[in-house]
Amino acid sequence: MTTAPTARKNAVGTAHTRVEGRDKVTGAARYAGEIPFAELAHGWLVLSTIARGRIRSVQDGPVLAMPGVVAVLHHGNASRVHTDYFGMLGKPDPTAAVFQHDRVPHVGWPVALVVADTSEQAREAAEALVVHYETEPHDVTFAGEHPDAYPLDSHGPAVAEKGDLDAELAASAVVVDEEYTTPEEHHNPMEPHAATALWDGGRLEVVDSNQGTTWVASELANLFALDPATVRVRSEHVGGGFGSKGVRAHQVAAVMAATHLRRPVRVVMTRRQMFSLAGYRSPTRQRLRLGADADGRLRALEHQSLSATSTVHEFIESGAGPARTMYDADAHHTGNKLVRLDVPTPTFMRAPGEAPGSFALESAIDELAEKCGLDPIELRVRNEPDRGPVSGLPFSGRNLIACFREGARRFGWADRDPRPGLRRDGRLLLGTGMAAASFPAGAGPSTAAVTAEADGTFTVRINAADIGTGARTAMTLVAADALETVPAQVRVRIGDSDLGPAFIAGGSMGTRSWAWAVMAAAGELRERLALGADIPPEGITVRSDTTEAIGALAQKERHSFGAQFAEVAVDPATGEVRVRRMLGIFAAGRIVNPLTARNQFIGGMTWGISMALHEEAVRDLASGGNYGADLAGYHVAAHADIPAIEADWVDDPDPDDPVGIKGIGEIGIVGAAAAVANAVWHATGVRHRNLPIRPDRVLLAGGHA
């Protein structure tokens, strides 16, 4: 049978509700911790209560005698794993290699897993388990001048320098020299981390909540020295990730227990455990030195950023990175340094580096504009580079000025009196601020398979991860256009490592990476069908691999850009800051689905408000642990904090991408906190260089000019 594709309907660029939306709102969609298995056992992690030292003993005898308990795994009896390898994202964090030794490097280090027939039995037994420790002095203090700080190359060089910084600063008519800080911050996806491991016919199967089953399957194969073909990871629905859902202790512990017991074992993190085991954003201390001519042209730009990591693994929050993209100067010096402390390892958190880095950079640029007597937008326009300030590479597209102009028009920026502390609404002080934003736009190699079915429909198999972004729907629209059919004729299968390798949902690269592979396979299939190929009962399948195409891309600076605008009201009597309205205008490539894209932009901007005003994890210096490691003690923005946020975009297709995509998952949070902070200055005349802008800090600063 030969079936020609239905006439093309230009699905990409039109708003579509999520293809799995009905399943999610009716409860038909099951998440990792909800899927039933026969003879399922439940594991409960036991975490260390000391910040540094060693385990002297694990008193597991009484616990093994408790009802329903079937195993207690710890460093004395757990299977050995391998960590001497280089995976998809580098060396593995030893925190995931659980129960391998008696050392404790931070509070919340996994020391045991109690497994029982029910979750309730496992929890009761885990809470009864007695672990004896030898404690050692610990250090969790993050300070700006730490003697052991060192530079670390990561996704870019640790240090990038050109020009004579001191000479250009000395020759500058206007200089800004300030320090900015951001606190430890935590991702809290709605769905906690959960994994179920089981052996089925000689294959290890893991049902998980993650940001890439290819990634997790590869890491587990390496850790347990397994043939990759014998490991299958499935992750159909994910209730948020934000960078935290990679390879963690719970998956490894579940595999260990399932191997030991030869029955399925599920391990789910509690919300409190996530504060120790799911990664977080390191605190930062950032120094900005800017020097400019009287007309605002930058002569000198220095951005130095310090972040913290654990004593067992290196992860750096590259806060100085945004400066390498946003602004040029005759002398341009940036550096990222790291200090090891007795704390858990940080990880990727929505817009790693760019979110805290943009707060410091865009706040300092605002201060420079004030000193130069220039409008903040005008100062930025005067320092708009035509090539990468550090790389010297051309931009694949840089429509930042278009974002400024459209944002200023819609926000009413021209009516703004630049003088601070003048506008009032009763006792409230009103102010407006803005900031620029950028985030890299990359793509990773992926494979995809597209099948023309005998009934005239199409099946797309791509190992994408839908972490709440609408990936299934985006791939449906891309495939429909590539096949010249309608979305209703396309089924998309994702989240299964058996589908073949594909890039992770991370770095705002997922949709671009997967769409490229889908386009390639669908295009070839469409050509075959156009030649009149008969479709057998099993269908016709075409598979693609984008490794070569992506490797052949010319070197360019590839980024999404944006402009953030905020209006705030500050109560000088209470110190309370409320964001009254916010607008973000973005140049982020071709928008595949305007409905879910707007959700992503607004979600990021909401998180930016939360970052500016609320989020702050505080460590107890005595215990080394977080105060209030839950959503009661760790404050996030609630409905009352969020106004009607508006997000839109300018036309910005990437000419080097087959669909024109860049990436939108993280650009929404970049610059948002700086826009709020700059608005608070405009309202009060007081600069807040330390996040969050808590009421007590507003009051201590005097509340108003």
Side-chain angles (χ1 to χ4, degrees), residues 212-213 235 462-466 471 475 493-496 499 502-503 505 514:
T213 61
S235 182
I462 174 80
N463 196 9
D466 194 332
M475 292 307 102
R493 302 286 181 259
I494 67 170
D496 186 338
L499 296 176
F503 199 70
W514 307 322

Side-chain angles (χ1 to χ4, degrees), residues 5 449-453 457-459 482-483 519-531 533 535 539-543:
V450 181
T451 301
E453 307 289 0
T457 63
F458 299 90
T459 302
L483 293 164
M519 282 283 290
E524 183 180 337
L525 178 60
R526 187 186 69 244
E527 291 175 4
R528 287 198 195 180
L529 296 178
L531 294 174
I535 302 178
I540 298 175
T541 299
V542 172
R543 190 166 186 84

Side-chain angles (χ1 to χ4, degrees), residues 442-500:
S446 297
T447 62
V450 181
T451 301
E453 307 289 0
D455 63 0
T457 63
F458 299 90
T459 302
V460 175
R461 295 174 178 86
I462 174 80
N463 196 9
D466 194 332
I467 59 175
T469 55
R472 280 183 188 80
T473 310
M475 292 307 102
T476 300
L477 304 184
V478 168
D481 279 2
L483 293 164
E484 297 185 351
T485 188
V486 293
Q489 295 293 102
V490 178
R491 290 180 299 273
V492 175
R493 302 286 181 259
I494 67 170
D496 186 338
S497 60
D498 276 0
L499 296 176

